[in-house]
Amino acid sequence: MKTLQCTLLLLLFTGLLFTHKAVAQQSADKATVFVETESFSEKGGWKVDQQAFDVMGSSYLLAHGMGRPVQNASTEVEFPEKGKYYIWVRTKDWAPYPKGPGKFKILINDQPLEQVFGSSGSEGWQWYHGGTTEIKDTQVKLALEDMSGFDGRCDALLFTKDKNFRAPQENDALLAYRKKMLGLSDKPKVGGHYDLVVVGGGMAGTCAAISGARMGLNVALIQNRPVLGGNNSSEIRVHLMGDVDKNYYSKLGRIVRELDNGDPGNGNPDGDRYGDKRKLSVVSAEENISLFLNTHVDQVETKDNKIIAVIGRNIETNQEYRFSGELFSDCTGDGTVGFLAGADYRVGRESQEETGESLAPKKSDDFTLGTSNLWASVETDSATTFPETPWAIQFSDEYHIDEHKADWQWETGFGNFNTIKEAEEIRDHNLRAIYGNWSYLKNEKKEKYKNYELAWVAYIGGKRESRRLLGDHILTQMDIQEGKMYPDATVTATWTIDLHFPDEENSQYFPGEEFFAATKHIRVKPYTIPYRCLYSRNIENLFMAGRDISTTHVAFGSTRVMRTCGMMGEAVGYAAYVARKHNTNPRGVYQQHLDEFIGILESPSMDLQSKPINQELKRRKKIKAVTA
């Protein structure tokens, strides 16, 4: 029964059970049809990209073919009536120098419109007029035809009989229009009530959900991509770092080891090596976890400094779901839930005067570590070609990167871009660097690379740093280097203080537009992270685990690696169990039940007292239902 329920949930939230039906609005005698491309029933070779969701209020389809046109995306749409329609297409020229490569066409009943979209030379997302079409049958097949394989993108299509009609351009107005045209209700659907709601399905969130569930908690795990693992998934392909065998509490790290699929390195062309199926199978086997993939949380309900519920939208259907709970854990990396709830947070670097850290800058600033899009080529049996890329970053004999694959150094950000508001621009800058360098290698270093071809390029960015949510303790450089052992010590971390900065030579050739990083590793001895870093200091029922825990920028350079983040998630799950058992909050665990929490970390049992707490929570739910 559990397997069937889990399968149905996964099918629903990955969009496999969703049947596209465009909503046609009749306004007087002017018919309008609005179609979201991410809802197309057949995606073909196009990818659903949600990275700019918080900025755009929507996902879109991306033709990520690495220079080879991808298979058409298509869907069936019912028009309200026949006749002449004016066509509008919402798209973006992502590399307008002077005109970018993301060209595509719209097909109506397999016949292409005359206009080519995606290479206008204009900046930003806009509605572009596509001429007119005569609809002769109310059942219409729509398709997107990629013409280049170089990341053309399309958000929505609009057909109207009103010659003067213009769809909203501003995000808030457009979001309201989307909901109206898609027939979505003002109130979200019920996603359920849970003991612990975990938002973010990377290593931290997945481990938090598993540890909480194994202690008997009813857990929702919400992830905005179709796979679990975050940076360690097949979509991003960063290997797991940080030791799990040096823990002060040996219990921590067991779940990380279950999910660990070995070390394939960074950017391995074989995506299966990153263990998507392994992670999904472990989560699916847990009776107490309800998994919601492809669901992006963009709203939070609060009352009296507590979170009541989070609201997430399916990135393909745009349907909203409301998840209420007693406790919440922000494992988004961006601190999204905390930010929306009004949690105290910090972005960028603190000054030396503020923290007393020798590695901090003299003055505080907005500098953050960047985002990587890894890539890899493979050697083939015969010669291959790659087109010239005049719209990409240009390389020369004087400066190019002579490698057949990427590693962590391919990184954009460094304060030049905002990692949340400009996530799409960061990814696109990385792509312009990757394609430009590869075009140079293929067309100028012909003998060395003649048999190589691009096998994989990440279109989802691997973020390092954005918001850090502030807890009752803020971990510092001194905590790490002095090995301070606080009474609430939890996870043992081992990674260096690893703070990236622009590579000097890269800065020389591309000042302000760097895409290649350098670092200086400050070695540390194993040290422990206090539990007080894992919950918000002003949102009473909010935990956090992963990149967004309570640290300074300098300390973050060590805590951010994924095995360490996964162990934070394990600790959060155990703390959530103690909080629910005693009907308290995360701070209450520290102030009143710390010995019990630490006792769990010391226990060799994986599910200590899970049955008693499960029975107690069921009893409370029955009482609540009777008194409601």
Side-chain angles (χ1 to χ4, degrees):
M1 190 64 173
K2 161 67 178 178
T3 303
L4 176 60
Q5 289 174 338
C6 190
T7 300
L8 289 174
L9 278 173
L10 285 170
L11 288 171
L12 175 63
F13 282 86
T14 54
L16 295 177
L17 289 184
F18 177 73
T19 302
H20 176 72
K21 182 181 179 182
V23 177
Q25 182 190 14
Q26 187 80 26
S27 175
D29 61 342
K30 307 295 185 183
T32 301
V33 175
F34 179 85
V35 185
E36 289 275 20
T37 60
E38 66 267 26
S39 299
F40 272 30
S41 56
E42 298 294 333
K43 304 296 190 299
W46 294 67
K47 308 293 186 182
V48 178
D49 186 353
Q50 98 307 336
Q51 290 170 105
F53 204 107
D54 290 325
V55 176
M56 294 177 58
S58 173
S59 308
Y60 57 83
L61 284 188
L62 180 76
H64 185 62
M66 299 175 292
R68 297 180 291 272
V70 304
Q71 184 181 352
N72 290 0
S74 63
T75 198
E76 298 284 339
V77 176
E78 184 175 350
F79 277 62
E81 58 186 66
K82 303 174 185 178
K84 179 181 177 181
Y85 285 82
Y86 296 89
I87 305 167
W88 293 90
V89 178
R90 192 162 191 263
T91 183
K92 175 182 183 179
D93 187 340
W94 69 273
Y97 302 105
K99 291 189 176 183
K103 298 185 292 185
F104 66 94
K105 283 195 170 187
I106 306 297
L107 277 59
I108 301 176
N109 290 328
D110 297 322
Q111 297 301 310
L113 297 179
E114 182 177 344
Q115 184 165 337
V116 173
F117 299 94
S119 58
S120 64
S122 301
E123 298 274 359
W125 284 95
Q126 300 179 40
W127 287 101
Y128 291 88
H129 187 44
T132 62
T133 187
E134 189 73 25
I135 299 299
K136 299 179 180 180
D137 191 329
T138 56
Q139 283 298 123
V140 176
K141 179 183 177 182
L142 302 177
L144 303 178
E145 180 183 18
D146 175 32
M147 300 176 68
S148 71
F150 281 122
D151 300 278
R153 57 205 67 182
C154 185
D155 175 29
L157 310 176
L158 189 145
F159 300 80
T160 179
K161 286 196 165 186
D162 187 346
K163 180 179 181 180
N164 298 314
F165 178 79
R166 299 293 183 271
Q169 177 65 23
E170 193 270 330
N171 282 341
D172 290 342
L174 182 56
L175 177 58
Y177 184 74
R178 291 180 200 274
K179 288 185 176 181
K180 178 181 178 181
M181 294 303 292
L182 295 174
L184 301 175
S185 61
D186 290 334
K187 292 185 177 181
K189 291 185 177 181
V190 176
H193 185 82
Y194 302 89
D195 299 311
L196 176 63
V197 177
V198 179
V199 183
M203 287 297 293
T206 303
C207 289
I210 293 171
S211 65
R214 288 178 179 175
M215 298 302 289
L217 300 183
N218 184 22
V219 180
L221 176 56
I222 306 171
Q223 164 73 327
N224 64 0
R225 295 301 305 160
V227 295
L228 295 170
N231 283 347
N232 185 237
S233 71
S234 63
E235 292 188 322
I236 300 174
R237 305 189 191 181
V238 177
H239 60 174
L240 299 176
M241 298 303 287
D243 295 331
V244 295
D245 60 352
K246 297 179 177 62
N247 265 300
Y248 187 79
Y249 301 112
S250 59
K251 182 170 186 171
L252 291 174
R254 294 182 184 182
I255 296 174
V256 172
R257 284 192 289 269
E258 282 186 68
L259 302 177
D260 193 337
N261 208 54
D263 187 2
N266 287 327
N268 192 301
D270 181 3
D272 291 340
R273 296 281 303 279
Y274 294 87
D276 292 354
K277 293 179 180 177
R278 181 191 191 103
K279 297 179 183 74
L280 181 60
S281 66
V282 173
V283 169
S284 299
E286 294 298 328
E287 294 285 339
N288 295 328
I289 295 179
S290 297
L291 175 62
F292 303 94
L293 296 174
N294 280 346
T295 305
H296 183 83
V297 169
D298 61 353
Q299 299 175 64
V300 172
E301 296 177 15
T302 61
K303 183 179 180 181
D304 299 329
N305 294 325
K306 292 180 64 177
I307 298 174
I308 300 170
V310 298
I311 297 173
R313 266 198 290 152
N314 186 287
I315 65 172
E316 294 190 13
T317 70
N318 279 285
Q319 176 61 56
E320 291 182 335
Y321 295 86
R322 182 179 184 271
F323 306 91
S324 59
E326 304 298 326
L327 299 166
F328 295 80
S329 186
D330 188 331
C331 302
T332 62
D334 282 339
T336 302
V337 176
F339 171 75
L340 293 171
D344 294 338
Y345 72 95
R346 183 67 183 258
V347 175
R349 301 187 294 189
E350 299 88 348
S351 67
Q352 289 184 7
E353 182 179 1
E354 183 178 352
T355 65
E357 297 170 311
S358 63
L359 296 176
K362 296 283 193 228
K363 295 183 179 180
S364 62
D365 56 31
D366 294 331
F367 184 100
T368 60
L369 274 65
T371 297
S372 289
N373 288 83
L374 301 178
W375 60 272
S377 67
V378 294
E379 192 169 10
T380 64
D381 293 332
S382 57
T384 63
T385 61
F386 194 79
E388 300 282 352
T389 55
W391 43 267
I393 291 175
Q394 298 301 296
F395 294 83
S396 64
D397 288 347
E398 188 176 0
Y399 183 82
H400 60 274
I401 300 171
D402 195 355
E403 299 288 348
H404 74 280
K405 69 181 293 293
D407 209 331
W408 61 268
Q409 298 99 327
W410 288 76
E411 178 179 350
T412 290
F414 310 118
N416 301 321
F417 293 87
N418 183 292
T419 56
I420 297 171
K421 296 179 181 178
E422 297 176 297
E424 184 184 20
E425 287 80 2
I426 289 173
R427 187 273 312 278
D428 291 347
H429 190 68
N430 284 337
L431 292 182
R432 290 180 63 241
I434 293 166
Y435 292 141
N437 189 70
W438 186 248
S439 179
Y440 173 83
L441 295 180
K442 288 292 294 181
N443 294 301
E444 301 299 328
K445 296 277 186 179
K446 296 179 181 179
E447 188 61 31
K448 183 175 182 179
Y449 289 98
K450 68 177 182 179
N451 286 7
Y452 280 84
E453 68 176 6
L454 276 183
W456 174 78
V457 178
Y459 66 94
I460 302 293
K463 285 188 183 181
R464 287 179 178 82
E465 183 181 9
S466 50
R467 303 184 189 101
R468 303 186 304 281
L469 304 179
L470 302 181
D472 280 347
H473 184 87
I474 301 174
L475 192 75
T476 68
Q477 174 189 340
M478 292 76 76
D479 288 335
I480 292 174
Q481 292 186 322
E482 295 171 17
K484 293 181 180 179
M485 187 72 177
Y486 292 96
D488 57 331
T490 56
V491 174
T492 299
T494 60
W495 193 247
T496 62
I497 297 177
D498 179 13
L499 297 171
H500 297 185
F501 46 86
D503 174 76
E504 185 175 347
E505 187 178 15
N506 193 243
S507 290
Q508 178 184 341
Y509 287 92
F510 301 100
E513 295 186 338
E514 295 91 345
F515 55 84
F516 210 72
T519 190
K520 181 179 180 182
H521 289 279
I522 309 298
R523 303 291 174 183
V524 302
K525 295 180 180 179
Y527 64 93
T528 53
I529 299 172
Y531 164 68
R532 285 166 295 159
C533 297
L534 305 182
Y535 64 84
S536 170
R537 71 186 186 187
N538 69 308
I539 301 299
E540 294 181 9
N541 60 342
L542 179 62
F543 291 102
M544 53 266 195
R547 294 185 292 109
D548 58 6
I549 69 165
S550 182
T551 73
T552 64
H553 169 82
V554 171
F556 161 84
S558 174
T559 61
R560 63 187 176 81
V561 292
M562 282 185 281
R563 287 196 184 101
T564 303
C565 291
M567 291 187 289
M568 296 175 201
E570 294 181 36
V572 161
Y574 298 132
Y577 155 76
V578 176
R580 291 297 293 130
K581 177 183 177 182
H582 296 286
N583 200 25
T584 188
N585 57 32
R587 181 178 287 117
V589 173
Y590 171 72
Q591 292 178 336
Q592 301 160 14
H593 307 286
L594 183 59
D595 288 346
E596 181 176 354
F597 171 53
I598 296 301
I600 292 173
L601 302 185
E602 293 174 333
S603 170
S605 171
M606 284 299 291
D607 58 353
L608 179 70
Q609 300 182 10
S610 61
K611 290 183 179 179
I613 185 61
N614 208 16
Q615 294 167 0
E616 171 63 14
L617 293 176
K618 287 180 180 179
R619 184 185 70 81
R620 288 184 198 162
K621 288 173 185 174
K622 288 180 180 179
I623 293 174
K624 187 174 182 180
V626 170
T627 57

